[in-house]
Every structure is written in structure tokens, then in C-alpha cells.
Amino acid sequence: MQLGQDETPLDVGQQRQVRPIDATDERLFSLWSMVDRDTMGNRYELLDDLVDDSNEIAHYHGHGQHGGSVSGRIVIKRDFEAAYKRLCEQYFNGDESLYTAQQFKRRYRVSPSIFEKVYQQLLGKGVFRRPDKLDACGRKGIHPLVRMTAAFRVLAYGCGADREDENLSIGESTVHDAVKSFCKLLIQEFGDEYLNRTPTVAERNRILKHNKTRGFPGLFASWDCKHFVWDNCPVALQGQHKGHHAGGKYTKILEAIADGSCYIWCVHFGAPGSCNDINVLDKSSIVGALLSGQLDLKTEPYEINGTIRDWMYFLVDGIYPNWAIFVKTIAKEAREATPHLDFYASRQEGVRKDIERAFGILVKKFHVLARPIRTWREDDMRNILYACIILHNMCCAERLEVTGQDVVETEYHDDYTDEEVNLTTADGGEQFIFNRVPVPTSDAANDMETLMTERFHRVNALYNHLSDPEKHLQLRTDLVAHLSGRQAEK
């Protein structure tokens, strides 16, 4: 109908929204133009047929006129209440549970007490909220205990998300959301206690005492790196993440330090797989924690071969630089003709396996790390790894509380005493670090410029001391003489 003189077109807001012309519209227009204009009756019959064909095509491609559910999607009627009751009967029914506490620990990778601690801390946060409200169908949602069980199973077995649907009645996307939320909340709630912190005085004394019986006074932990395969590495990042590890696959590097109980104290994750240990060390957040004081290496003075020191050190492999805080082994060619050098190298390599054992336990306990990690985002991969480390440290701390000792008995135990070093009568040199580092004065607290300048001088002086190669060589020489003397006494 044409508009008359008294008729006005509709406003823009009232006009019918016209969608863009697609291939179906062009087909309709072309067939319409081919019809003879004199046969108007046949024209309208043909138009009805073409409209029916257009609707079928649009429905096939999932572009219906009014939207709605995705075409071809299957609706699964899951019984959430039955899944929750079945789970409680299996593991959370006290002494009447179907499975024992030992089976619980093997399948969840943590003890029931640790699981209860984590569950109570995360309950009501993220996706782990109680299903108090009913959905549109009048049913309760998924219980947070079921969501957390699914997250633990994915970390423990490294299986696909849809595998938990058969027993827990929980969908694939719901499991993915539960795992992501679980890892983030675990880091948020327990990261300060079980990740990247300075040991307490009691923990430091326990570590130093254990390492002293192994022949390394002043030793804190072992330092090393490990590669983890990134299965869904984006194409734009594959060049820098491809290295010689894991058969040339795309990897991310974890840098960590662990003591004799396999407790992982500090971690740094994110370096691409094409880097080596030196490249990772140059950008390491662990070194930054040492310089900032977040990880304090200062300890009571101890004596090795007549030399007094006041800092703790680490055992590393041969690629690391000659820093004062690093103790490396000796090359095989240089120690073949000297028995005491060979004995020192064997002891250093044996004790340095602490970090290798920690990596091995972590991967064997959480199979999601043993397999290529199937995440698209780097932060999701980091959260999964940190969450597994926190759970691993919680198990180590629980074991130490129960046994009161390290994970392994010392292989080189002798009757070492814990007597303090007499600084006035001890013969030999003194190699101090922390008492020579300038400390910002309290008087400059209100002067920000002076305070920042003093902090810069402190960090610069501390870095120069920690990376001193002369202190490194002197420490290794003293340890060689120390271990040789103990071996001769035996």
C-alpha cells in the first residue's frame, strides 16, 4: 500500500527491524523474478513454498526467527539430590561410610581432615554456595560438596570433566567452573600459609638440624626447575614455549625450592619452555623475594671448617652461577683423581635430590600435572599448579605434625650436637652478609625520598653479597674439607 498525502511514515523507533540480506534472501528474490508476471495466482503459491523452504533452512542452521534453545542440544535430567546422598553414603557418613579413610586418601590425594579443613574454608564462596534457592523447575541445585569432590577428582586423576557425570551427575561446563573457582579460592585462602613465605624459627631450626646431620650445616633447601607441558598453547606463543624438554613440546617452567621433607617453600611459574635455568633465574620472583626480605635467609652464625657464616644456602646443579647462596657439585673429570672431591660430589648430588623427590611426589599425586595441561589461559594453568602445590604442602605439614620428623631418615647421621658457635674463640675467618647490609633507619620513615634511597642501597648491597663468586668458592672449599674430615673420623 502506498502512502497518501495525509499519511506519514512510522518513526525510526517504530519501524520494523530488517535483518541483513543473506544467501537465502537472494535465492528467494531470484526465483521470484523468474516467475511470469501474468500468472499472479501461481506466483503466490510459489511464494508460500519458498517461505517454507526458507524456514527449514534457517532452522537447520540454528538461526530461528525468535532464538531460543540451541538446535540439537540434549537436555539431561540429572538427579542432584540422589547424587549428593550417594556421595555422603560413600565417603561422608562417618564410620558407616562405604569406603575407609585410607581409600578416601588414595582417591582424594588428601586426608579427610585436610579435605574437611578446605571444605569448611571455601564453603559459601564462589560456586560453592549452598543450593538454598530452587530453580525454574522447582529443584535444588548442585550441592557444594559434589562440586568440590569433582574438583578434587579432576586434579587427582587428570581426567576429562565429563567423566564425573556418571557418578556425581554434574555436567562438563559445571566441572570446569568448579575447578577454576576451587583453585582461585584455595590460593586466596591458603596461599599466605602454604606458599611463598619465610619459615618460622621452629621450622628453620628443624630444617637446619636435619641438614646438619646430613653433613651440610647452614643448608636450607634445594633449588631447581621443572617443565610442564601446555597442551593448548596458542599458536602465537608456540615458538617461545617449544624447547628440548618433553620431546620438543610446548612447556611452561616451574622454579621451586624444597627442603628434606619435600615441602615446597617458594615457587616461580610462567617462564616459557625455551628458557634454561639461568634465563629463569634472571627473572625469578624467588630472587626478588630474597632481596626484598620476603624470604629471609638470615640465621644464627654457624661454623664450617673454621669459617663462620650467617646466611643459609641452597644446593643446585651445575648450570647455576657461582653465587654465595649456591652450592654446586664438581664435574666428573675434576673429581676422578681426588677421592675427597668425589665423596663431596656424591653427597651434594644425593642431598640435592630433595627437590627432585618433591617434583616427583607432586606429579604422581596430582595426575593433572603429569599429563599435558589442557587449559587455554596461562593464569588458569598457574592456578592449577599452585593449588596442587598448596595441597601437597598441607599433606607435608600434616605428616610432620604426626611424625615430628622429616619424610626420610638421614643416610649420613652422626652424633652432632646443637651447641652454638662461640664467635670469640672460633678460629678462622668470618664471612657475614646480613650484618654488613645497611638497614633503613626509623628516623627516615617520614622522609620518603631518603627511605627509598636507603632501601635501594640495602638491596644493591645484599645482591652484591649474595652473588659474590669468592664466597661461593670459599663455601664449597669449606664443605669439601668438612665432609672429608667427618668421613676420615668414621
Side-chain angles (χ1 to χ4, degrees):
M1 181 181 66
Q2 295 181 355
L3 293 176
Q5 296 179 355
D6 298 332
E7 296 177 343
T8 57
L10 297 176
D11 296 336
V12 177
Q14 299 177 348
Q15 292 182 4
R16 182 180 179 182
Q17 298 294 330
V18 181
R19 59 182 176 85
I21 297 177
D22 55 7
T24 304
D25 298 328
E26 294 179 356
R27 176 169 171 256
L28 292 174
F29 295 153
S30 61
L31 293 177
W32 176 265
S33 60
M34 294 172 60
V35 180
D36 187 6
R37 296 181 180 275
D38 296 334
T39 58
M40 296 300 295
N42 295 334
R43 180 191 292 254
Y44 289 109
E45 293 179 359
L46 179 61
L47 177 61
D48 294 337
D49 296 338
L50 293 178
V51 170
D52 293 338
D53 295 340
S54 175
N55 293 334
E56 292 181 0
I57 295 174
H59 177 74
Y60 175 77
H61 290 286
H63 299 291
Q65 181 178 1
H66 301 290
S69 302
V70 179
S71 176
R73 182 172 182 176
I74 301 175
V75 178
I76 301 177
K77 296 182 179 179
R78 298 181 173 90
D79 193 348
F80 300 143
E81 288 290 334
Y84 170 66
K85 294 179 180 179
R86 183 169 57 250
L87 182 62
C88 292
E89 293 175 355
Q90 292 173 348
Y91 296 102
F92 304 99
N93 200 15
D95 297 335
E96 298 180 359
S97 299
L98 179 62
Y99 301 107
T100 63
Q102 184 178 2
Q103 292 172 319
F104 181 97
K105 187 174 182 180
R106 185 174 69 241
R107 294 171 183 176
Y108 284 80
R109 301 301 194 261
V110 296
S111 63
S113 60
I114 294 179
F115 181 90
E116 180 67 18
K117 179 180 179 180
V118 173
Y119 177 71
Q120 294 298 334
Q121 189 70 20
L122 303 188
L123 184 62
K125 302 175 183 177
V127 299
F128 304 104
R129 295 186 176 91
R130 293 188 180 276
D132 298 329
K133 297 183 179 180
L134 303 180
D135 60 7
C137 298
R139 301 181 306 170
K140 286 187 177 181
I142 303 174
H143 198 275
L145 183 62
V146 178
R147 294 178 185 268
M148 190 164 296
T149 297
F152 268 96
R153 293 292 179 84
V154 171
L155 297 180
Y157 292 100
C159 57
D162 57 348
R163 184 181 182 274
E164 304 301 326
D165 193 7
E166 299 175 356
N167 185 43
L168 300 178
S169 298
I170 184 170
E172 179 181 1
S173 59
T174 308
V175 174
H176 281 303
D177 294 339
V179 172
K180 292 181 180 180
S181 181
F182 174 78
C183 295
K184 291 181 180 179
L185 292 174
L186 192 68
I187 297 172
Q188 177 181 346
E189 298 296 331
F190 296 97
D192 294 338
E193 183 179 359
Y194 293 100
L195 195 65
N196 292 337
R197 67 175 179 88
T198 298
T200 62
V201 177
E203 292 170 337
R204 185 193 63 187
N205 294 337
R206 174 185 58 83
I207 295 173
L208 294 178
K209 180 180 179 180
H210 177 65
N211 290 327
K212 191 176 183 179
T213 60
R214 304 163 84 185
F216 291 88
L219 172 63
F220 174 54
S222 300
W223 190 318
D224 203 0
C225 296
K226 181 174 178 57
H227 291 247
F228 291 91
V229 179
W230 190 6
D231 189 48
N232 292 339
C233 179
V235 177
L237 304 178
Q238 290 180 358
Q240 58 181 314
H241 287 85
K242 184 176 182 180
H244 63 280
H245 291 272
K249 297 181 180 180
Y250 314 113
T251 60
K252 283 280 189 182
I253 301 177
L254 171 68
E255 183 185 28
I257 57 177
D259 60 9
S261 63
C262 296
Y263 191 98
I264 301 176
W265 288 99
C266 289
V267 293
H268 168 71
F269 180 78
S274 59
C275 298
N276 55 25
D277 291 2
I278 298 180
N279 303 135
V280 177
L281 185 67
D282 291 339
K283 61 181 74 173
S284 173
S285 61
I286 303 179
V287 178
L290 293 175
L291 298 178
S292 64
Q294 181 182 357
L295 178 58
D296 191 6
L297 293 182
K298 184 178 180 181
T299 184
E300 298 296 330
Y302 60 91
E303 180 182 357
I304 304 178
N305 194 33
T307 305
I308 304 174
R309 295 175 175 83
D310 66 341
W311 76 89
M312 297 183 291
Y313 56 88
F314 305 90
L315 298 185
V316 296
D317 56 14
I319 193 175
Y320 281 84
N322 296 335
W323 285 8
I325 58 174
F326 292 153
V327 172
K328 303 192 297 184
T329 185
I330 298 177
K332 186 177 181 180
E333 296 78 8
R335 69 191 193 195
E336 287 181 347
T338 309
H340 65 277
L341 293 181
D342 185 70
F343 177 74
Y344 158 79
S346 62
R347 290 302 306 160
Q348 192 272 351
E349 294 171 1
V351 177
R352 197 189 66 83
K353 294 301 180 181
D354 293 344
I355 185 65
E356 302 294 345
R357 286 203 324 273
F359 286 151
I361 295 174
L362 182 67
V363 171
K364 291 297 182 181
K365 181 179 293 185
F366 301 101
H367 289 180
V368 69
L369 304 179
R371 301 176 180 180
I373 303 178
R374 299 186 296 268
T375 60
W376 292 101
R377 298 174 59 88
E378 180 182 351
D379 54 350
D380 292 336
M381 186 176 180
R382 179 185 295 106
N383 291 339
I384 290 176
L385 184 60
Y386 284 1
C388 294
I389 293 176
I390 290 175
L391 294 176
H392 165 79
N393 287 341
M394 295 176 73
C395 295
C396 292
E398 183 185 50
R399 182 185 63 246
L400 291 174
E401 292 178 359
V402 174
T403 61
Q405 57 186 3
D406 289 337
V407 64
V408 292
E409 295 293 337
T410 176
E411 301 174 357
Y412 196 71
H413 179 74
D414 60 1
D415 297 331
Y416 245 42
T417 60
D418 293 333
E419 58 184 10
E420 298 181 357
V421 177
N422 191 347
L423 301 180
T424 60
T425 60
D427 53 350
E430 296 180 355
Q431 290 196 3
F432 295 134
I433 287 182
F434 289 97
N435 64 348
R436 298 178 182 177
V437 175
V439 179
T441 60
S442 59
D443 297 335
N446 297 327
D447 189 356
M448 183 59 64
E449 181 178 359
T450 304
L451 182 62
M452 296 303 296
T453 303
E454 292 180 353
R455 288 182 177 179
F456 173 78
H457 288 313
R458 178 189 178 278
V459 171
N460 189 38
L462 182 59
Y463 176 79
N464 292 333
H465 283 295
L466 295 180
S467 60
D468 190 356
E470 295 183 359
K471 289 184 174 65
H472 164 81
L473 296 177
Q474 183 63 38
L475 176 58
R476 189 178 70 174
T477 302
D478 292 338
L479 285 173
V480 170
H482 174 74
L483 292 173
S484 301
R486 295 180 60 184
Q487 182 69 8
E489 293 177 0
K490 289 183 175 293

